[in-house]
């Protein structure tokens, strides 16, 4: 006699183990499937909102492309380090102004950084980079160029994979370090110490400071966020296209698939989601149990 | 009823006389200790035996008679039988031997019963020949000094026999060469001259020991005066270590009280023999070294040898400064390190050349230390090698320090690279959110250290190998010094020549062989 068909005795079945009942151990009654729940807590995504979120990924990809473009220009001496430095300085000042302008009114409990601390950080960056640039220049001299390229590619990939897209503001250690490592490797292939210095400052701007600014923009001026992302993406594709057409096409395809195709795919696949919950799930400890215990002891 | 007679081998050829020994109580056996020769006055014999008994606490008695008639002498059968009446005792042994025949004949005269049974008992006597010297010295059943263990109320026959022989030492002072009224034969009768020399040496060693211990006390007083830097230096120089080791040995040797246990005695003897061998070898070395101007030859080859080593090192550094084995080294750091080490070699060579006029004299005086033993000469050689290869040691220390710093920095920066840090309080790796500038500088340093690591590692490896060669050489020297110092030569000799002396002892070799790096 199967467990599901239950003519049985007149005694009603109870879902307890501490009493002897005239049912087999694996018996369940008709009410079993009444507690079945499907797709609990499912979120209904909207396409354009998702595209906007995916824009962050796309713009990070473009940032890497922009950095590589700049390095290509520098390596072929099409871009002088002075120009890059001045442009970086200008961008940094503009970005700092924007950052200060977009600062949220007042966050209770969190002391905002003073101007002096920012200046101190900037001094540290510049002095260390400037001091170390001759050392960095000769660092990979004896390592073959292929090894350096492979290492940089690997590190940039690691940067893209480990970038904290959900919470970009306190910069993820591994992603930032990988990006800096890659930029040191690439910068050491450039012809002069000043080139190295300019490249590293640029890397600092692109990989460390730009995500902070972008985060601020997303939080406080979310209407402009999409525009900024599109701008960065277009900049990356155009920049790469001026040096390497095939790369630009690949980048455009990647951006398109990440920002447009992937959200579409997600929404299409969401329809097929069939997640069931029920009394067979593992027990979850409720939060109030802890409070209950505290109450008991206290 | 079987009678056992323990008969000393040394008395096999003794002249006829009385057998002195002991009946072992509780067993049917007799131990013969010595033979007292004719002519004697019975009263004196009795008196002598009583005297011996008082001294040795062993119940000595006259066991019977011994006859080994020489050619031309008629047998003294009847006289010997009459002797038994002079020395009244329960049993009387009459042991006789014919010159040129192997066997012994034994008659037992029982005084309590008649003489009838003598013929029957004749076959039931077992002769046990024992070597008195071996029984005396082998300590198989060591004589407890005065303290009798309560549980051993009935000691075995063999044990009693051993103890009887061991206790009756005063008996063996009398000799057949003595002028006194009595003459006897036992194991001490042979080789009397040697025992005289041994006695004399024993007497002479007492003032010698006193002198040595006085000298040692003066020496230790001087040693205790030493101030800190000297003391620190003395723990580093192997000559000083050897000196203190020898001092300790001499203190053990010159202690006025004699060795208490057999092990203690063996240790002292080992020390003495190894010291003698050491000094003898040292003298050999001196006699070789100070002939034919060999010192000058050695001194003249030493400086070119040091030059040669320096040249080889120079070549090695030049090779390292190129592209050694096709390795990818950082050129700038390579050049810096190479020049630094080259300068160091240059300094060292100029120092050696400054020293070169004095080297011969130093060697001459250093060679004199071999008077104190070969070990001193070897220790001095080890020290000199250490001093002459000081540059290699310096290289090793620099290389190791640099490498250690680099590895330490890399390991902590690798944690920063992953966004972790070492929590000192909990002794584990925690995650940590760093500031932007910390991350930036950390990564910069990490990259630099990572790319410079192969260069430092190579220098470290090469200099460690060099240092290892020197340490190996010094290790061999120290090993041989320790071997001479602590090899139990006396025990080995005893094992080969007189193994019975080691029969009853568990001898622990305490050798300390240390290879200091």
């Amino acid at each position: 006699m199967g467990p599901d068909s239950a003519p049985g005795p007149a005694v009603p079945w109870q879902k307890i183990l501490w009493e002897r009942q005239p049912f087999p151990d694996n018996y369940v009654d008709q009410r079993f499937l009444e507690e079945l729940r499907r797709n609990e807590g499912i979120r209904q995504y909207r396409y354009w909102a998702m595209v906007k979120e995916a824009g962050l990924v796309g713009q990070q990809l473009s940032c890497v492309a922009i950095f590589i473009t700049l390095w290509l220009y520098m390596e072929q001496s099409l871009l002088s380090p002075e120009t890059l430095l001045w442009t970086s300085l200008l961008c940094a000042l503009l970005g700092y102004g924007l950052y200060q302008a977009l600062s949220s009114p007042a966050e209770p409990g969190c002391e905002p950084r003073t101007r002096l601390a920012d200046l101190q950080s900037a001094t540290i960056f510049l002095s260390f980079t400037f001091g170390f640039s001759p050392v960095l220049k000769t660092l990979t001299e004896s390592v073959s160029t292929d090894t350096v390229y492979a290492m940089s590619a690997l590190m940039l990939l690691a940067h893209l994979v480990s970038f904290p897209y959900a919470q970009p503001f306190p910069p993820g250690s591994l992603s930032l370090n990988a990006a800096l490592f890659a930029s040191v490797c690439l910068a050491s292939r450039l012809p002069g110490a000043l080139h190295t210095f300019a490249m590293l400052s640029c890397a600092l701007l692109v990989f460390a400071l730009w995500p902070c600014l972008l985060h601020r923009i997303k939080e406080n001026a979310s209407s402009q966020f999409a525009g900024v992302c599109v701008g960065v993406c277009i900049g990356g594709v155009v920049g790469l296209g001026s040096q390497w057409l095939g790369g630009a096409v690949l980048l455009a395809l990647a951006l398109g698939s990440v920002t447009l195709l992937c959200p579409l795919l997600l929404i299409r696949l969401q329809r097929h989601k069939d997640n069931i919950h029920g009394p067979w799930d593992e027990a979850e400890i409720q939060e109030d149990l802890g409070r209950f215990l505290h109450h008991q002891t206290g | 009823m079987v009678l056992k007679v323990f008969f000393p081998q040394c008395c096999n050829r003794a002249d006829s006389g009385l057998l002195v020994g002991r009946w072992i109580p509780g067993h049917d056996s007799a131990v013969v200790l010595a033979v007292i020769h004719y002519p004697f006055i019975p009263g004196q014999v009795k008196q002598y035996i009583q005297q011996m008994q008082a001294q040795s606490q062993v119940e000595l008695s006259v066991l019977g008679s011994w006859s080994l008639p020489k050619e031309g002498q008629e047998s003294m059968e009847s006289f010997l039988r009459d002797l038994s009446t002079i020395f009244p005792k329960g049993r009387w042994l009459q042991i006789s031997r014919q010159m040129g025949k192997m066997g012994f004949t034994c008659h037992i005269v029982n005084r309590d019963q008649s003489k009838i049974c003598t013929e029957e008992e004749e076959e039931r006597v077992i002769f046990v020949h024992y070597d008195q010297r071996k029984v005396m010295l082998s300590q198989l059943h060591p004589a407890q000094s005065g303290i009798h263990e309560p549980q051993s109320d009935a000691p075995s026959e063999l044990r009693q026999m051993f103890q009887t022989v061991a206790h009756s030492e005063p008996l063996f002072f009398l000799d057949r060469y003595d002028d006194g009224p009595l003459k006897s034969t036992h194991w001490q009768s042979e080789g009397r001259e040697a025992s005289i020399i041994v006695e004399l040496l024993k007497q002479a060693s007492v003032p010698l020991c006193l002198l040595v211990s006085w000298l040692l006390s003066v020496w230790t007083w001087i040693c205790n005066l030493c101030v800190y830097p000297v003391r620190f230096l003395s723990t580093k120089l192997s000559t000083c270590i050897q000196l203190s080791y020898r001092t300790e040995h001499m203190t053990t040797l010159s202690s006025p009280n004699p060795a208490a246990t057999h092990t203690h005695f063996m240790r002292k003897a080992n020390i003495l023999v190894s010291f003698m061998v050491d000094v003898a070898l040292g003298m050999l070395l001196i006699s070789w070294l100070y002939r034919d101007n060999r010192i000058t030859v050695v001194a003249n080859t030493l400086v070119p040898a040091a030059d040669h080593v320096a040249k080889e090192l120079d070549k090695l550094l030049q090779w390292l400064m190129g592209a050694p084995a096709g390795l990818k080294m950082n050129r700038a750091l390579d050049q810096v390190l190479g020049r630094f080490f080259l300068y160091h070699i240059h300094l060292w060579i100029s120092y050696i050349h400054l020293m070169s006029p004095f080297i011969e004299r130093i060697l001459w005086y250093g060679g004199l230390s071999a008077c104190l033993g070969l070990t001193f000469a070897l220790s001095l050689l080890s020290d000199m090698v250490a001093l002459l290869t000081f540059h290699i040691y310096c290289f090793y220390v620099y290389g190791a320090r640099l490498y250690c710093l680099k590895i330490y920095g890399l390991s902590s920066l690798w944690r920063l690279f992953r966004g972790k840090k070492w929590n000192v309080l909990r002794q584990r790796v925690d995650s940590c959110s760093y500031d932007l500038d910390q991350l930036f500088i950390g990564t910069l340093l990490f990259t630099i250290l990572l790319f410079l690591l192969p260069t430092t590692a190579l220098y470290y490896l090469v200099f460690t190998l060099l240092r290892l060669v020197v340490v190996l050489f010094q290790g061999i020297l120290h090993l041989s010094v320790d071997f001479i110092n602590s090899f139990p030569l006396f025990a080995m000799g005893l094992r080969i020549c007189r193994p019975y002396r080691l029969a009853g002892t568990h001898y622990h070799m305490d050798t300390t062989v240390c290879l200091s790096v």
Side-chain angles (χ1 to χ4, degrees):
Chain A
M1 196 168 265
D4 290 329
S5 58
V11 189
W13 176 76
Q14 281 178 296
K15 195 180 161 188
I16 48 174
L17 284 176
W18 39 268
E19 206 169 80
R20 192 167 290 282
Q21 299 181 77
F23 297 100
D25 279 351
N26 57 352
Y27 177 83
V28 285
D29 67 354
Q30 302 294 335
R31 289 171 294 165
F32 179 65
L33 283 180
E34 285 172 14
E35 293 178 46
L36 176 72
R37 285 163 288 144
R38 261 176 207 285
N39 291 341
E40 205 175 42
I42 193 167
R43 294 172 65 177
Q44 290 301 322
Y45 296 116
R46 279 172 301 123
Y47 181 68
W48 288 109
M50 281 184 62
V51 168
K52 196 177 160 189
E53 290 294 322
L56 188 62
V57 182
Q59 72 80 32
Q60 199 60 37
L61 208 59
S62 302
C63 279
V64 173
I66 288 171
F67 180 75
I68 291 173
T69 311
L70 284 177
W71 179 76
L72 283 172
Y73 271 104
M74 291 281 278
E75 203 205 12
Q76 291 159 12
S77 305
L78 296 173
L79 182 66
S80 73
E82 290 87 0
T83 321
L84 185 63
L85 271 177
W86 286 117
T87 320
S88 300
L89 188 64
L90 195 69
C91 287
L93 286 176
L94 276 177
Y96 187 65
L98 195 61
Y99 187 79
Q100 291 294 336
L102 284 176
S103 64
S104 41
E107 285 169 33
C110 178
E111 193 76 20
R113 276 172 72 90
T114 57
R115 296 264 156 74
L116 188 66
D118 290 337
L119 195 65
Q120 212 174 356
S121 288
T123 317
I124 288 175
F125 288 143
L126 289 180
S127 58
F128 264 83
T129 317
F130 192 70
F132 275 125
S133 54
V135 177
L136 295 172
K137 170 78 194 57
T138 61
L139 205 58
T140 58
E141 226 171 32
S142 57
V143 183
S144 83
T145 311
D146 288 346
T147 315
V148 169
Y149 287 168
M151 213 146 46
S152 314
L154 205 70
M155 283 295 165
L156 284 176
L157 206 65
H159 163 72
L160 283 177
V161 168
S162 65
F163 190 81
Y165 295 104
Q167 181 70 31
F169 175 54
S173 295
L174 184 58
S175 69
L176 182 58
N177 283 328
L180 285 176
F181 190 91
S183 46
V184 168
C185 285
L186 286 178
S188 66
R189 287 282 127 174
L190 292 177
L194 193 63
H195 292 73
T196 310
F197 174 58
M199 206 66 230
L200 277 179
S201 323
C202 179
L204 189 69
L205 219 59
V206 172
F207 293 119
L209 300 179
W210 171 246
C212 298
L213 181 62
L214 199 69
H215 177 68
R216 194 51 77 81
I217 289 173
K218 193 184 169 193
E219 285 218 322
N220 296 345
S222 50
S223 53
Q224 312 300 322
F225 178 70
V228 170
C229 282
V230 170
V232 171
C233 287
I234 289 173
V237 171
V238 169
L240 201 59
S242 65
Q243 274 290 318
W244 180 29
L245 211 60
V249 170
L250 278 179
L251 178 67
L253 281 179
L255 286 176
S257 64
V258 164
T259 51
L260 301 176
L261 204 59
C262 285
L264 195 66
L265 215 59
L266 179 66
I267 288 176
R268 292 290 292 278
L269 291 178
Q270 188 82 346
R271 239 183 279 158
H272 301 290
K273 183 164 177 170
D274 188 14
N275 209 352
I276 54 174
H277 295 268
W280 53 83
D281 282 349
E282 288 171 17
E284 279 175 31
I285 297 172
Q286 300 295 321
E287 280 296 315
D288 55 345
L289 189 68
R291 210 175 58 223
F292 173 71
L293 284 173
H294 272 288
H295 191 70
Q296 283 273 316
T297 53
Chain B
M1 187 169 170
V2 179
L3 179 69
K4 277 186 216 156
V5 178
F6 292 95
F7 196 81
Q9 276 177 343
C10 50
C11 296
N12 280 355
R13 295 178 173 279
D15 293 336
S16 306
L18 284 176
L19 296 171
V20 179
R22 182 192 177 203
W23 289 99
I24 293 174
H27 299 277
D28 207 14
S29 49
V31 185
V32 177
L33 292 172
V35 175
I36 293 179
H37 303 296
Y38 306 124
F40 53 79
I41 301 163
Q44 277 179 341
V45 173
K46 281 181 185 169
Q47 195 186 344
Y48 171 68
I49 283 175
Q50 270 172 6
Q51 204 180 326
M52 289 297 114
Q53 207 163 334
Q55 277 183 27
S56 63
Q57 308 293 328
V58 180
E59 297 169 41
L60 291 175
S61 59
V62 176
L63 298 178
S65 64
W66 163 252
S67 67
L68 180 69
K70 296 207 170 116
E71 279 154 55
Q73 269 183 330
E74 76 274 22
S75 101
M76 297 177 286
E77 193 83 11
S78 59
F79 169 67
L80 291 175
R81 192 160 297 152
D82 293 341
L83 273 178
S84 66
T85 54
I86 304 174
F87 300 102
K89 201 69 185 172
R91 281 170 176 171
W92 184 256
L93 296 172
Q94 279 186 2
I95 301 172
S96 61
R97 191 185 172 199
Q98 292 290 318
M99 223 26 180
K101 282 188 183 173
M102 285 297 285
F104 286 53
T105 49
C106 180
H107 295 280
I108 301 166
V109 181
N110 268 356
R111 291 180 55 78
D112 305 340
Q113 300 141 31
S114 59
K115 294 173 190 169
I116 311 162
C117 52
T118 52
E119 301 301 313
E120 296 153 30
E121 312 245 327
E122 206 168 331
E123 294 136 35
R124 300 190 186 169
V125 173
I126 297 176
F127 264 93
V128 183
H129 282 273
Y130 70 95
D131 192 330
Q132 212 163 24
R133 177 209 300 272
K134 291 185 182 177
V135 170
M136 272 296 285
L137 297 178
S138 70
Q139 309 212 346
L140 260 180
H141 299 282
Q144 279 97 15
S145 51
I147 306 146
H148 286 280
E149 294 160 28
Q151 82 272 15
S152 61
D153 46 353
S156 71
E157 185 182 6
L158 212 59
R159 189 184 177 87
Q160 284 197 25
M161 177 254 168
F162 267 82
Q163 285 181 354
T164 307
V165 178
H167 277 300
S168 45
E169 221 166 329
L171 192 67
F172 305 131
F173 288 140
L174 186 74
D175 213 287
R176 61 175 156 166
Y177 306 105
D178 273 335
D179 281 338
L182 295 174
K183 293 176 196 305
S184 66
T185 294
H186 42 79
W187 68 281
Q188 283 285 348
S189 315
E190 312 286 334
R192 184 169 168 78
E193 295 79 8
S195 45
I196 290 172
I197 292 172
V198 167
E199 252 341 282
L200 277 177
L201 279 179
K202 272 184 189 169
Q203 295 301 321
S205 71
V206 173
L208 196 69
C209 276
L210 283 179
L211 182 71
V212 168
S213 57
W214 181 75
L215 284 176
L216 279 176
S217 64
V218 171
W219 169 244
T220 45
W221 181 72
I222 291 172
C223 282
N224 288 335
L225 277 184
C226 287
V227 278
Y228 170 71
V230 179
R231 189 165 296 172
F232 175 74
L233 208 65
S234 69
T235 57
K236 296 290 169 227
L237 289 178
S238 50
T239 315
C240 294
I241 293 171
Q242 175 64 20
L243 203 62
S244 68
Y245 199 63
R246 270 275 176 264
T247 313
E248 200 181 307
H249 275 176
M250 296 310 282
T251 322
T252 316
L253 273 185
S254 68
S255 65
N257 34 342
T261 60
H262 188 65
T263 320
H264 194 194
F265 165 74
M266 291 301 281
R267 186 167 299 152
K268 271 184 153 183
N270 277 328
I271 290 172
L272 186 67
V273 170
S274 64
F275 175 69
M276 299 277 208
V277 168
D278 189 15
V279 170
L281 287 175
M283 287 300 173
L284 266 179
L285 181 71
I286 283 187
S287 69
W288 180 80
L289 204 61
Y290 285 79
R291 205 181 295 154
D292 302 342
N293 254 355
R294 284 208 174 88
I295 291 266
T296 323
V297 176
V298 171
N300 287 342
T301 52
L302 209 58
V303 175
D307 270 343
H308 182 69
V309 169
K311 201 172 284 174
E312 287 297 316
L313 276 178
D314 208 311
K315 232 185 260 176
L316 180 73
L317 281 172
Q318 293 290 353
W319 178 68
L320 282 178
M321 282 162 73
L327 287 172
K328 308 264 168 77
M329 312 265 282
N330 187 279
R331 194 180 48 79
L333 181 69
D334 209 15
Q335 292 290 326
V336 168
L337 282 177
R339 291 221 181 105
F340 173 70
F341 287 126
L342 279 180
Y343 178 64
H344 215 283
I345 290 179
H346 174 72
L347 267 185
W348 185 250
I349 280 302
S350 42
Y351 166 69
I352 289 218
H353 279 276
L354 211 67
M355 286 271 292
S356 59
F358 308 105
I359 280 184
E360 188 180 344
R361 202 166 302 163
I362 290 172
L363 275 180
W364 201 89
Y365 286 114
L368 285 182
S369 74
C371 293
L372 292 171
L374 184 66
T375 51
F376 275 92
L378 288 180
S379 306
L380 203 69
L381 181 65
S382 162
D383 284 343
M384 278 169 79
V385 166
L387 282 178
L388 282 179
T389 57
F390 191 67
H391 48 333
I392 291 178
Y393 179 71
C394 282
F395 290 173
Y396 165 70
V397 168
Y398 299 150
R401 191 46 62 90
L402 208 62
Y403 184 69
C404 173
L405 261 177
K406 200 148 275 196
I407 288 292
Y408 187 74
L410 265 180
S411 69
S412 68
L413 286 175
W414 170 242
R415 266 180 246 126
L416 178 133
F417 196 86
R418 290 176 304 149
K420 304 273 168 73
K421 70 164 184 187
W422 177 251
N423 189 337
V424 183
L425 292 179
R426 301 202 171 188
Q427 295 284 306
R428 66 174 190 199
V429 175
D430 282 348
S431 59
C432 167
S433 73
Y434 288 99
D435 283 346
L436 210 58
D437 36 3
Q438 286 171 333
L439 283 176
F440 180 71
I441 292 167
T443 308
L444 221 56
L445 288 177
F446 178 78
T447 317
I448 292 171
L449 287 185
L450 190 70
F451 279 106
L452 294 186
L453 182 68
T455 314
T456 331
L458 188 72
Y459 272 85
Y460 171 68
L461 184 73
V462 168
F463 290 132
T464 306
L465 285 179
L466 270 180
R467 171 80 186 139
L468 211 62
V469 171
V470 175
V471 165
L472 218 63
F473 179 67
Q474 281 187 307
I476 289 170
L477 285 183
H478 286 178
L479 212 64
S480 50
V481 165
D482 286 333
F483 182 77
I484 295 174
N485 269 342
S486 54
F487 190 72
L489 212 59
F490 180 73
M492 283 290 284
L494 219 55
R495 179 72 189 82
I496 290 164
C497 300
R498 290 183 178 182
Y500 57 86
R501 287 290 300 268
L502 293 170
T505 53
H506 306 280
Y507 184 65
H508 302 282
M509 282 198 289
D510 47 350
T511 48
T512 48
V513 177
C514 43
L515 204 152
S516 56
V517 176

